[in-house]
Amino acid sequence: MTLPRPFVLSLMLLSGAIPAAAPAAAEGASPAYDLIIRGGTIYDGSGAPPVTGDVAIKGDRIVAVGTVDGTAKREVQARGMAVAPGFINMLSWATESLIADPRSESDIRQGVTLEVMGEGSSMGPYNATMKRQETERQGDIRYKIEWTSLGDYLGWLEKRGISTNIASFVGAATVRVHELGEDDVDPNPEQLARMKALVRQAMNEGALGVGSSLIYAPGSYAETDELAALMTEAGKCGGMYISHMRSEGDRLEQAVDELIEIARRSGAPAEIYHLKMAGRSNWGKLDAVVKKIEAARAAGLRITTDMYTYTAGATGLDAAMPTWVQAGGLEAWIERLKDPATRARVAAEMQKPGSDWENLYLGAGADKMILTGFKNEALKPLTGKTLAEVAAMRGKSPEETAMDLVIEDGSRVGTVYFLMSEDNVRKQVQLPWMSFGSDAASQSTEGVFLKSGAHPRTYGNFARLLGRYVRDEKLITLEEAVRRLTTLPATNLGIAERGALKPGYYADVVVFDPAAVADRATFEQPHRYAVGMRDVYVNGVAVLKDGRHSGATPGRAVRGKGFGRCS
């Protein structure tokens, strides 16, 4: 039997064999939308199962989600692709990299549309001395500091043009240095009052809260009372406390207690930066930490965490030496390391657990420490070698070599430390209150970034989650992973109208292939882009098209709850 042609076409439309055409616009009518993403599998950020449908965008906003009638100036097909809100990088060090290259390629190619900065230090508030010191300490990326406050920096970067959105906490260490310098001292009441006023100013300019980093000098010199006082001020403005805790190793449980105490005293939510159990002897502490967090949450405190998806961290050789030797700042630290008696004391302390500091040298070992970042051109050939290898080349102990490198480079020397358990990484991925941050700059595979090594999390943290842990190991569903990359962090941060695919929300949207998304960067070859991300829209503008950066810079400063109302 031969079927009539109209009937055959109807069957093909119903079966999906050919795409259904959008309804024609009335003659002479303008398209209703700027963009329609058609026929994708929509993960709206809520954690609900996905649905097939369309997303319509007009200007910088999402205006319709589901079955969208009407036409647009541009339509893209997303059949077989995941369509989701743009991802939020909860711990970004794009502070300087966006100055060098506004494209943020390593993160855009993973679907990141918001970089959240401010782990302990922030790009303001500065005074004249801080500006001079920061300028003198710059490495491969050189720039003039043309701002003073944190709000000025956010506006300055936005005006220059950036591909991602940006937001920041105000650094507890930055506020401390502004008033106290870099010495190990406690603030008097007048100094603390000025520090609180700086926090209030930053909150009024849009800071998300206070960020601390308590294993590094001078941030480590702050005691609990000081941090609680600063956070109470930020809490009045709707801010959040977020912390690289005082210990992630031997004193991990006590550090969690301190963070919970600060949340309790300030009445503000708190988040643990890059939750980890550092050092083999601490790998068994995860269950106890989770129990503490769950108990605090059950008691009504809003405690959350974030992580990166690797078993190695990255910081500097400062984390391998006691903090007393670093008092007064980088220059004072270097001068002390030239003294034989001081060197002998430092070397001895590096070989035993730190009673009042976090000894990552002992936690990893010299053969598990990769040197990645030098500013001295003469030392750059050592990039990618372990501390043990360099020590053997020089015929010295690893402790002596570490001190020599700090002196010769005039910096903390970027270092990767292998510290964590893969089993714990897998368990942490499954925690419902866990979001994700790269703890890295946003880079590109060209120019100034190739002068130094990198941690592969720079290029692969989010793709690794979606590829390895979601698709391949099936630890969580894709809809749950999207929730924890979008709605969860946006809610924790108090950011309105971002982090979900909803009408009225800003059009930060990603389109990717769940079957192909994967990280490609390794510790041996870290400057390699992730794959699988097809399109990325930031505030309605296509930044990534068919896997290629468009060069567009529509990113904006995203400001917290206290913006304009916390003077």
Side-chain angles (χ1 to χ4, degrees), residues 260 264 289-301 303 433:
I260 292 172
R264 182 179 293 113
V289 168
V290 170
K291 185 176 180 180
K292 282 180 179 291
I293 294 171
E294 292 283 13
R297 289 170 60 86
L301 298 178
I303 308 298
W433 27 261

Side-chain angles (χ1 to χ4, degrees), residues 310 370 384 445 450 452-460 519-530:
Y310 294 84
I370 299 175
T445 57
L450 299 185
S452 297
H455 191 302
R457 67 193 183 190
T458 307
Y459 291 86
D519 60 308
R520 290 288 181 261
T522 65
F523 288 99
E524 296 74 25
Q525 294 182 296
H527 293 288
R528 300 174 67 183
Y529 292 127

Side-chain angles (χ1 to χ4, degrees), residues 429 464-479 481:
V429 164
R464 186 177 179 85
L465 169 69
L466 297 174
R468 177 170 183 167
Y469 296 113
V470 174
R471 180 189 61 237
D472 299 341
E473 298 191 12
K474 297 178 173 57
L475 298 183
I476 56 175
T477 64
L478 182 53
E479 53 264 36

Side-chain angles (χ1 to χ4, degrees), residues 70-118:
T71 61
K73 295 175 183 176
R74 180 169 177 250
E75 296 197 8
V76 296
Q77 280 293 335
R79 183 170 297 158
M81 308 292 283
V83 180
F87 303 155
I88 296 173
N89 184 349
M90 275 296 296
L91 175 46
S92 169
W93 280 106
T95 45
E96 294 184 325
S97 60
L98 283 172
I99 298 173
D101 185 343
R103 295 173 298 172
S104 196
E105 289 230 47
S106 60
D107 272 359
I108 284 290
R109 289 171 180 265
Q110 297 182 78
V112 171
T113 59
L114 175 59
E115 309 276 7
V116 181
M117 313 173 213

